[in-house]
């Protein structure tokens, strides 16, 4: 097997919780040496002190190493400087200006390592009127116009359990930009500062409402646009057992195949019906779907190419033939000696196979290992411990 795509790349990861750790998870899975730099006791995503490490932490922190470092303690800045001298990437998720005040911001580290790619992930960007405000995914979605569209017709906005701005806006956008900057640093010898605003990046993905605004010269209300429930051929329908069938038959051939299989071929030209006629068609289809269970509908559409699928629960996803065939789960050991299924690295590449090389680390598990790699000797490590910059690994 060939080397992994990011073998030899070292990343210093100062992030916590979800956007940053998911970004560096993807990079670690592709072979980067990701060193989590956590506060004493470990990052917030591990859960409350004295409790078992959260499953949430385990889902986004495999294939990484961990050191604990009190960034405000004497000697901590010098540790980061020494680590940065041989690193390729720094990823941080603090509010703008925090790293600079600690003496480990981009300008500080660039002076040590001009090739360094430095990525700052924040809610609202490094400048602008909201730069210093706290926020979470629900807030970023709000400013990006996404949350307003997440509603049934006439209903209130309601966030789903998929944090779009954190993951698509933060994690994936950051990973994309880091890889581009790494490529350029290898040919130019110069790194870059990357300003990832989760709001900006989520906004840039919110193209459907924008296109509708330009088309209709006014915002289209939630639940009434092409992809939000305004068409009979694209939406969800409740089944007899309270489950749901997802119909994505936008093209006429798919809608006609759906209608033929569902027993309503007379509706084959009504998939894009709008207004009152569209509502009437939806009502007819809803009554038809409501007459059978989800399992029955799965049987009906098992061999019909109509863009129809069952709306699965997460436990069903884990055991579904598609998930298994694509190798999309990996058993990840947890501290109690058992293991839990986590999602595998999703992209397939020639010459590369995803592997679980490191289980999610205990807080500070690699303190001495990483410090010695950066040239710290026994005396250096002892002085750092005495100063409170590093501490014994936290119980996990």
């Amino acid at each position: 097997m060939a080397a992994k795509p990011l073998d030899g790349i070292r990343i210093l990861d100062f992030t916590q919780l979800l956007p940053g750790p998911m970004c560096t998870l993807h990079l670690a899975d592709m072979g980067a040496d990701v060193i989590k730099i956590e506060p004493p006791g470990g990052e917030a995503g591990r859960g409350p002190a004295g409790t078992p490490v959260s499953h949430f932490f385990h889902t986004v922190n495999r294939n990484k190493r961990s050191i604990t470092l009190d960034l405000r303690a004497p000697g901590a800045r010098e540790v980061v400087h020494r680590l940065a001298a041989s690193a390729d990437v720094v990823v941080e998720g603090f509010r703008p200006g925090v790293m600079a005040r600690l003496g480990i911001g981009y300008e500080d580290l660039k002076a040590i390592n001009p090739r360094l790619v430095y990525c700052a992930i924040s809610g609202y960007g490094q400048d602008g009127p909201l730069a210093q405000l706290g926020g979470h995914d629900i807030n970023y979605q709000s400013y990006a116009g996404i949350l307003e569209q997440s509603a049934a017709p006439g209903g209130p906005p309601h966030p789903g359990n998929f944090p779009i701005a954190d993951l698509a806006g933060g994690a994936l956008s950051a990973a994309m930009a880091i890889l581009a900057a790494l490529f350029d640093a290898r040919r130019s010898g110069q790194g870059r500062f990357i300003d990832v605003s989760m709001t900006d990046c989520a906004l840039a993905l919110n193209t459907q409402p924008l296109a509708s605004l330009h088309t209709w010269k006014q915002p289209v209300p939630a639940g009434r646009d092409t992809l939000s429930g305004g068409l009979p051929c694209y939406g969800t329908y409740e089944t007899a057992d309270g489950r749901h069938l997802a119909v994505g038959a936008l093209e006429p051939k798919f809608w006609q195949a759906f209608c033929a299989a569902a027993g309503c071929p007379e509706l084959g030209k009504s998939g894009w019906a709008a207004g009152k006629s569209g509502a009437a068609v939806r009502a007819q289809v809803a009554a038809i779907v409501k007459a059978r269970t989800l399992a029955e509908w799965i049987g009906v559409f098992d061999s019909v190419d109509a863009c129809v699928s069952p709306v699965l629960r997460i436990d069903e996803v884990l055991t579904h033939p598609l998930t298994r065939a694509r190798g999309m789960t990996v058993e990840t050991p947890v501290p109690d000696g058992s293991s839990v299924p986590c999602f595998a690295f999703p992209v397939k590449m020639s010459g590369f196979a995803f592997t679980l090389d490191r289980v999610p680390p205990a807080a500070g598990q690699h303190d001495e290992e990483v410090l010695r790699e950066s040239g710290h000797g026994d005396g250096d490590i002892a002085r750092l411990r005495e100063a409170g910059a590093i501490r014994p690994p936290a119980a996990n």
Side-chain angles (χ1 to χ4, degrees):
M1 184 64 66
K4 294 185 178 182
L6 295 181
D7 275 352
I9 297 296
R10 175 167 288 189
I11 298 173
L12 306 183
D13 179 6
F14 292 86
T15 67
Q16 301 188 40
L17 298 172
L18 183 58
M22 179 62 83
C23 167
T24 58
L25 173 71
H26 289 316
L27 303 176
D29 283 349
M30 289 190 284
D33 177 19
V34 174
I35 300 171
K36 286 183 65 68
I37 300 178
E38 305 186 59
E43 66 138 294
R46 292 180 178 273
T51 64
V53 177
S54 70
H55 288 296
F56 169 82
F57 178 86
H58 281 275
T59 62
V60 293
N61 284 291
R62 63 172 175 254
N63 287 337
K64 303 177 185 180
R65 297 192 285 172
S66 167
I67 67 171
T68 52
L69 186 65
D70 184 343
L71 296 176
R72 292 179 172 81
R77 178 175 60 185
E78 288 70 28
V79 170
V80 175
H81 286 185
R82 194 177 294 191
L83 290 172
S86 60
D88 299 282
V89 180
V90 165
V91 188
E92 55 103 336
F94 298 110
R95 296 194 196 192
V98 170
M99 292 282 277
R101 289 195 292 273
L102 293 170
I104 52 176
Y106 175 61
E107 294 299 331
D108 303 296
L109 302 185
K110 176 185 176 182
I112 297 166
N113 180 359
R115 296 170 63 98
L116 190 68
V117 172
Y118 186 112
C119 180
I121 304 173
S122 64
Y124 306 110
Q126 297 299 299
D127 54 24
L130 306 185
Q132 292 298 327
L133 284 185
H136 284 291
D137 183 84
I138 192 171
N139 309 116
Y140 314 142
Q141 284 197 44
S142 297
Y143 282 112
I146 295 172
L147 189 62
E148 186 273 336
Q149 288 284 305
S150 302
H158 189 80
N161 204 21
F162 179 84
I164 298 167
D166 280 355
L167 295 175
L172 292 180
S173 297
M176 173 184 68
I178 287 168
L179 293 173
L182 269 176
F183 174 80
D184 184 59
R186 287 296 173 101
R187 65 182 178 182
S188 70
Q190 294 297 314
R192 293 175 185 266
F193 179 84
I194 301 171
D195 173 5
V196 172
S197 157
M198 288 182 273
T199 302
D200 289 353
C201 293
L203 172 64
L205 299 173
N206 196 21
T207 56
Q208 184 65 30
L210 180 64
S212 295
L213 172 64
H214 293 329
T215 300
W216 303 107
K217 310 306 179 188
Q218 61 183 351
V220 177
R224 302 190 187 282
D225 206 349
T226 303
L227 303 183
S228 64
L231 300 178
C233 65
Y234 200 95
T236 59
Y237 292 92
E238 186 176 5
T239 60
D241 52 346
R243 301 296 299 277
H244 288 85
L245 201 64
V247 179
L250 283 170
E251 294 83 359
K253 65 177 181 179
F254 293 132
W255 177 247
Q256 289 163 13
F258 168 79
C259 292
C264 53
E266 71 278 6
L267 299 179
K269 295 183 179 180
S270 302
W272 279 70
K276 292 183 179 180
S277 60
V281 174
R282 280 191 62 87
Q284 286 180 262
V285 175
I288 291 168
V289 175
K290 185 71 172 175
R292 301 190 196 185
T293 66
L294 183 64
E296 289 173 322
W297 282 118
I298 291 173
V300 168
F301 286 102
D302 186 51
S303 58
V304 178
D305 188 15
C307 299
V308 175
S309 57
V311 177
L312 299 177
R313 299 187 308 263
I314 191 65
D315 58 323
E316 296 169 328
V317 170
L318 293 175
T319 59
H320 193 273
L322 175 63
T323 305
R324 292 185 179 278
R326 294 290 293 172
M328 276 306 302
T329 61
V330 57
E331 289 293 323
T332 303
V334 292
D336 67 6
S338 64
S339 64
V340 296
C342 293
F343 293 127
F345 182 72
V347 179
K348 277 61 175 176
M349 300 185 202
S350 59
F352 165 70
F354 162 74
T355 54
L356 175 60
D357 300 318
R358 295 180 183 273
V359 300
Q365 179 178 337
H366 304 97
D367 279 354
E368 291 200 15
E369 177 180 301
V370 170
L371 289 172
R372 292 186 188 283
E373 288 174 2
S374 61
H376 291 83
D378 290 340
D380 299 319
I381 293 172
R383 283 189 290 274
L384 288 168
R385 291 200 187 283
E386 184 177 355
I390 62 172
R391 300 180 184 183
N396 232 17

